[in-house]
Amino acid sequence: MLYIRRFVVAALAALAATSPVLAEQRLTPSQPVALVRSSAQDLPTQKVDTTAFGVAGVPRGGKKADAAPAAFVSQSASVLMGLILALNSGFINGCALSGVLAADGSSQAVSAVTASWTNSALGLAAGNMAKFGFLGKVLGSYIFGSLVAGYCQPNPSPFLVSSSSYGLPLTIAAGSMIIAKMFLDDASSVKLGFYVLAIANGINNSVTSTMTSNLCRTAHFSGISSDMGTFIGQILRGNKANLFKLKVFAGLGACFWSGGYLSYEISKTYGSSSLYISALVYLFVAGGYDKVAKKMFA
């Protein structure tokens, strides 16, 4: 019953914040097609002919193919994917901070890495080179994860929902969960486990950030928290230009929080095996989410 109660609470929290986010406008037949806009909130769901043009509308040249699949471009589907991955990132971070994931009982934030920047500096200032080196490697791992995603997606198309675009980096993130579990189960390699988890979160955040033109940052919430306060202040003075972004950011925050909430009991019960759940989430998004999204939003 405790699991059910915690799941219901987390689900309700996420649903309350995300329900206003997933409404999107559609083009009428007379309206022009546009894949990139200055305001993300107006981007509709579209099926774009890619036989002669790239998904971003850039001519690729060459011989026109007889038949090519339509690219599925959807703001709502992209945001929903961001919400799912924010939940997963919060779950991973919660497990890593629980102290029960690692064989030696240690804990480390592997998602929001702002504290690692300051703590690594404090470690160096205090002459604690072990602390400085460890946190520096956590930061480097997170950055390396983003590098991997950028290498796999050198030319991302905004709001393109396609496994061919983000499937590879998210599959790597799924594999990272399995590798991290192996390291965390051995007291002599726990730090390597934290590094691998940070790599996965770097991939996570990079994929959603580039996919949504920085609308959905799913593994780092300092900037989002600041922006939410800024937008609320603007709204109180009558400027509602960023109301849509505020809704998205609130949804992302609620999902990340809910992931941490769910991780509490699950990590206590299953330990490092909890990471299998995150691996399955990554695999679903990497290989099957686009098909589900088309049914929901096309």
Side-chain angles (χ1 to χ4, degrees), residues 8-279:
V8 170
V9 170
L12 289 176
L15 181 61
T18 59
S19 56
V21 174
L22 299 179
E24 64 180 310
Q25 301 174 358
R26 299 178 185 273
L27 287 179
T28 61
S30 61
Q31 291 178 289
V33 174
L35 296 186
V36 182
R37 300 190 177 193
S38 58
S39 176
Q41 70 187 77
D42 297 322
L43 189 67
T45 296
Q46 302 168 27
K47 289 186 177 179
V48 183
D49 183 5
T50 59
T51 56
F53 292 88
V55 292
V58 180
R60 292 180 176 173
K63 195 173 180 178
K64 185 174 180 179
D66 294 332
F72 181 60
V73 179
S74 171
Q75 170 203 317
S76 288
S78 299
V79 170
L80 179 58
M81 177 175 148
L83 297 173
I84 294 171
L85 291 179
L87 179 75
N88 201 34
S89 182
F91 181 83
I92 295 169
N93 201 47
C95 288
L97 285 169
S98 68
V100 300
L101 205 66
D104 63 358
S106 60
S107 61
Q108 172 61 39
V110 294
S111 180
V113 294
T114 303
S116 294
W117 282 98
T118 302
N119 287 327
S120 66
L122 292 174
L124 180 61
N128 188 340
M129 300 308 294
K131 179 179 180 180
F132 168 70
F134 170 62
L135 293 175
K137 290 174 184 176
V138 170
L139 290 170
S141 298
Y142 187 89
I143 294 170
F144 178 75
S146 297
L147 182 154
V148 169
Y151 185 84
C152 293
Q153 297 177 288
N155 300 294
S157 297
F159 302 101
L160 173 65
V161 181
S162 173
S163 293
S164 63
S165 175
Y166 51 72
L168 177 57
L170 291 182
T171 300
I172 294 173
S176 298
M177 296 297 100
I178 310 303
I179 296 172
K181 180 191 181 305
M182 295 169 58
F183 284 140
L184 291 166
D185 285 342
D186 185 346
S188 65
S189 61
V190 164
K191 290 182 178 180
L192 292 175
F194 289 133
Y195 301 153
V196 175
L197 291 180
I199 289 173
N201 274 298
I203 293 173
N204 187 334
N205 195 69
S206 178
V207 166
T208 55
S209 293
T210 56
M211 178 182 184
T212 63
S213 300
N214 290 322
L215 178 64
C216 293
R217 290 162 285 173
T218 53
H220 192 72
F221 286 83
S222 296
I224 282 180
S225 299
S226 175
D227 287 347
M228 287 173 63
T230 300
F231 297 158
I232 291 172
Q234 292 173 346
I235 290 170
L236 291 175
R237 293 298 303 274
N239 178 5
K240 298 183 179 180
N242 290 310
L243 178 60
F244 175 77
K245 286 186 178 180
L246 176 62
K247 293 177 181 179
V248 173
F249 291 174
L252 291 169
C255 286
F256 187 82
W257 181 91
S258 298
Y261 185 88
L262 289 171
S263 73
Y264 180 77
E265 287 293 338
I266 294 176
S267 62
K268 283 175 59 177
T269 303
Y270 299 105
S272 61
S273 295
S274 304
L275 296 177
Y276 289 139
I277 297 174
S278 291

Side-chain angles (χ1 to χ4, degrees), residues 22 26 72 77 80 289-298:
L22 299 179
R26 299 178 185 273
F72 181 60
L80 179 58
Y289 175 76
D290 56 346
K291 301 177 182 64
V292 176
K294 286 180 182 179
K295 293 180 180 179
M296 292 177 61
F297 299 106

